[in-house]
């Protein structure tokens, strides 16, 4: 349980670090877009080589298909609700939708880390790197928007600290859940995370990376995929 808390804190801590970096200085759009693109490539690799593959091995195609559908629909409708928050609030939303989005995709990601630890497989370095790298620009982008809209630094830090804590608790929850559920449920959780991540990548992360980094985003995405794939095969 202690290891799940520790590794969960490492992965989720990048959200909080990103917020602190945003408060410390201004960041060029191209740099944030490049980090987003690298993280997107790493997450695509993790979906393919970690989540979907492990789900098929644990529970077969049925639970994986069901988990993918539920995860995709859950993120889709939750993301629409986040968009309505931003739409109603206009510019005053000040990065809140990004913060909520980070929470929505962070919980299943971190739960999968905990499940892997409880299964005796150790921490997945590829998934850990993918989560860490993809979290940084979310924290930087959201906190930057909040600061630009006049939110106090204390409010920004408190919000991202809370998001990070919830994600760490999701890792611990995944670890505890793995002890009482079978392979099919674990497969469904893997697939749920994969489905939510795929929708998030296509609807949010990849378009934002391209809008900020331009045509370079594609090349950096491939680099992120290659690095994560190599790490996955080493573990």
């Amino acid at each position: 349980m202690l290891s799940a808390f520790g590794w969960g804190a490492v992965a989720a801590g990048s959200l909080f670090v990103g917020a602190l970096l945003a408060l410390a200085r201004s960041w060029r759009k191209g740099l944030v877009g490049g980090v987003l693109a690298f993280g997107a490539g790493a997450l695509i690799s993790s979906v393919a080589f970690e989540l979907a593959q492990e789900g098929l091995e644990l529970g077969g195609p049925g639970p994986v298909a069901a988990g993918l559908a539920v995860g995709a629909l859950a993120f889709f409708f939750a993301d629409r609700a986040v968009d309505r928050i931003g739409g109603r609030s206009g510019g005053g939303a000040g990065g809140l939708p990004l913060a909520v989005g980070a929470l929505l995709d962070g919980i299943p990601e971190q739960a999968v880390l905990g499940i892997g630890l409880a299964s005796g497989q150790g921490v997945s370095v590829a998934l850990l790197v993918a989560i860490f790298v993809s979290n940084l620009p979310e924290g930087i982008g959201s906190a930057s928007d909040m600061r630009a809209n006049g939110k106090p630094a204390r409010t920004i830090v408190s919000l991202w600290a809370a998001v990070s804590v919830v994600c760490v608790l999701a890792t611990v929850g995944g670890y505890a859940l793995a002890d009482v559920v079978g392979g099919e449920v674990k497969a469904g959780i893997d697939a749920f995370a994969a489905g939510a991540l795929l929708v998030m990548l296509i609807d949010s992360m990849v378009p934002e990376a391209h809008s900020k980094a331009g045509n370079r985003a594609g090349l950096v995405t491939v680099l992120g995929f290659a690095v994560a794939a190599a790490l996955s095969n080493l573990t």
Side-chain angles (χ1 to χ4, degrees), residues 203-233:
D203 286 354
S204 303
M205 197 167 182
V206 171
E208 187 175 352
H210 187 270
S211 71
K212 286 181 165 62
N215 292 335
R216 292 171 295 177
L219 294 175
V220 181
T221 299
V222 174
L223 177 62
F225 181 93
V227 170
L231 289 172
S232 180
N233 287 322

Side-chain angles (χ1 to χ4, degrees), residues 33-81:
V35 177
L36 271 170
F38 187 92
L43 284 176
I44 292 169
S45 173
S46 293
V47 167
F49 298 123
E50 301 284 337
L51 301 176
Q53 182 174 326
E54 182 178 308
L56 288 170
E57 292 172 356
L58 287 172
V64 169
L68 282 169
V70 174
L73 289 170
F75 189 91
F76 174 78
F77 286 112
D79 194 48
R80 289 184 66 182

Side-chain angles (χ1 to χ4, degrees), residues 164-177:
S164 300
V165 168
V166 172
C167 289
V168 172
L169 293 177
T171 310
V172 176
Y175 185 94
L177 188 65

Side-chain angles (χ1 to χ4, degrees), residues 2-13 110 113 117 128 164 167-169 171-172:
L2 187 60
S3 63
F5 182 88
W7 285 115
V10 170
Q110 303 265 154
L113 278 180
L117 287 166
L128 184 66
S164 300
C167 289
V168 172
L169 293 177
T171 310
V172 176

Side-chain angles (χ1 to χ4, degrees), residues 61-148:
V64 169
L68 282 169
V70 174
L73 289 170
F75 189 91
F76 174 78
F77 286 112
D79 194 48
R80 289 184 66 182
V82 172
D83 285 340
R84 284 196 291 272
I85 293 173
R88 286 195 302 266
S89 306
L96 179 60
L98 272 176
V100 178
L103 187 64
L104 290 174
D105 63 76
I107 290 174
E109 286 175 346
Q110 303 265 154
V112 168
L113 278 180
I115 289 172
L117 287 166
S119 301
Q121 301 169 353
V123 66
S124 166
V125 176
L127 185 58
L128 184 66
V129 169
I131 294 172
F132 191 94
V133 172
S134 64
N135 281 345
L136 272 176
E138 287 184 287
I140 291 172
S142 175
S144 296
D145 287 347
M146 290 178 183
R147 185 175 68 168

